[in-house]
Amino acid sequence: MTALELRELRKTYRSRGRPAVEAVRGLDLGLRSGELLGLLGPSGCGKSTTLRMIAGLESVTGGDILVGGASVTGRPAQERNIGVAFENYALYPPLTVAENLAFGLRARRRSLRGDVRRKVAEIAERVGLTDVLDARPAGLSSGQKQRVSLARALIREPDVLLLDEPLSHLDAAQRDTTRRELKRIQRDLGHTTILVTHDQEEALSLADRIAVMRDGVIQQLGTPYEIYDSP
Ligand code: ADP
Ligand code: ADP
């Protein structure tokens, strides 16, 4: 089953007095259910724009986005079940970690009762945040903030998970640990995932397939072995 499909996806940014930027120019891609695709490519090639369009955080200039076979193009973000952990997707400072996670479930009330409390505890345990559930974002390390952002994306049991440089703020040792954790989470939960990364090791250890983007299109697509072994 194709869990996520992009058909001829396009994005042109137009602003007054500036030349139009064709950030994504006819991108075709299909992910099968449970697959983790590593998305690589130089800065400015259109990776973030692609993720934002899938999430519904950016309008589409052309083409179609299908989740589980149904088009979500033009639907608002709230109507898509897409989990996003973006570098600049800030946590709410006044809320505790637990409350930020509950927000991922769209819990209306801040009180962490019943089901919400159970899910928050479960996901916190999974990503190693149990000890900081009552802390506020300002008191966390950047690694912990990234975990909160990941947990908030996971808690909703999304149809598709989008991770933009999830290990970027970590030092080498933390990155190693977190990479292993991500791998375990992926194996246990089996989300259909796109992971944007610059890190070859991250891509090699986590990705089922790798797509290399350049100038708004996918230039190469294959297993990590095929991509890194090709001249
Ligand atoms: P990447 O994530 O691969 O670095 P982006 O998707 O951020 O690439 O950017 C692709 C192109 O679109 C770049 O040329 C960038 O400058 C441009 N771009 C990104 N966001 C905007 C925006 N909001 N307005 C205008 N141009 C943008
Ligand atoms: P979704 O998460 O599907 O985008 P939500 O209803 O959760 O939809 O969020 C509505 C809006 O609030 C979104 O447009 C998003 O940009 C913004 N948002 C969601 N979570 C946060 C957050 N933790 N911090 C800041 N803004 C957020």
Side-chain angles (χ1 to χ4, degrees):
M1 217 266 278
T2 309
L4 173 68
E5 197 177 340
L6 309 179
R7 290 187 189 155
E8 273 291 304
L9 194 61
R10 292 181 179 276
K11 177 68 186 185
T12 306
Y13 291 107
R14 295 177 199 281
S15 38
R16 285 166 69 100
R18 291 209 216 123
V21 178
E22 289 187 65
V24 177
R25 10 174 133 209
L27 191 150
D28 292 294
L29 186 65
L31 269 75
R32 53 174 197 282
S33 186
E35 180 175 27
L36 191 150
L37 181 93
L39 185 58
L40 277 73
S43 176
C45 72
K47 303 182 296 294
S48 303
T49 299
T50 302
L51 294 197
R52 291 203 303 269
M53 286 193 286
I54 297 169
L57 302 172
E58 189 80 73
S59 67
V60 160
T61 306
D64 211 359
I65 299 167
L66 295 93
V67 176
S71 175
V72 298
T73 317
R75 293 261 185 104
Q78 307 85 261
E79 289 176 19
R80 312 178 185 196
N81 191 20
I82 312 279
V84 301
F86 294 167
E87 196 175 336
N88 54 7
Y89 212 65
L91 306 172
Y92 289 132
L95 303 187
T96 64
V97 168
E99 288 164 345
N100 265 284
L101 295 184
F103 180 88
L105 283 173
R106 303 171 204 296
R108 285 261 172 263
R109 279 179 301 164
R110 292 234 195 135
S111 58
L112 296 163
R113 297 221 178 96
D115 240 27
V116 174
R117 177 187 286 278
R118 189 179 47 74
K119 282 207 156 171
V120 164
E122 202 176 285
I123 205 75
E125 169 89 49
R126 192 173 277 287
V127 302
L129 288 171
T130 305
D131 293 343
V132 295
L133 276 175
D134 294 326
R136 287 175 211 279
L140 303 180
S141 71
S142 42
Q144 286 170 326
K145 282 184 208 163
Q146 277 188 324
R147 281 156 196 257
V148 179
S149 161
L150 173 67
R152 193 180 54 187
L154 289 170
I155 199 165
R156 208 191 282 180
E157 297 172 22
D159 296 326
V160 174
L161 182 62
L162 304 175
L163 308 176
D164 198 349
E165 299 277 0
L167 311 182
S168 56
H169 290 304
L170 309 180
D171 64 34
Q174 286 178 320
R175 196 171 294 196
D176 234 43
T177 321
T178 311
R179 198 194 306 123
R180 253 179 276 131
E181 279 172 11
L182 260 184
K183 194 168 181 141
R184 183 171 44 74
I185 288 169
Q186 183 61 18
R187 203 183 46 218
D188 292 354
L189 302 181
H191 288 298
T192 306
T193 305
I194 298 183
L195 170 96
V196 167
T197 179
H198 283 104
D199 183 339
Q200 180 165 330
E201 209 165 315
E202 196 175 312
L204 272 172
S205 63
L206 292 171
D208 299 306
R209 282 190 305 161
I210 287 175
V212 182
M213 241 182 125
R214 185 176 288 272
D215 291 335
V217 292
I218 287 171
Q219 199 181 41
Q220 264 185 301
L221 181 66
T223 63
Y225 180 81
E226 286 163 352
I227 297 295
Y228 288 115
D229 260 17
S230 61

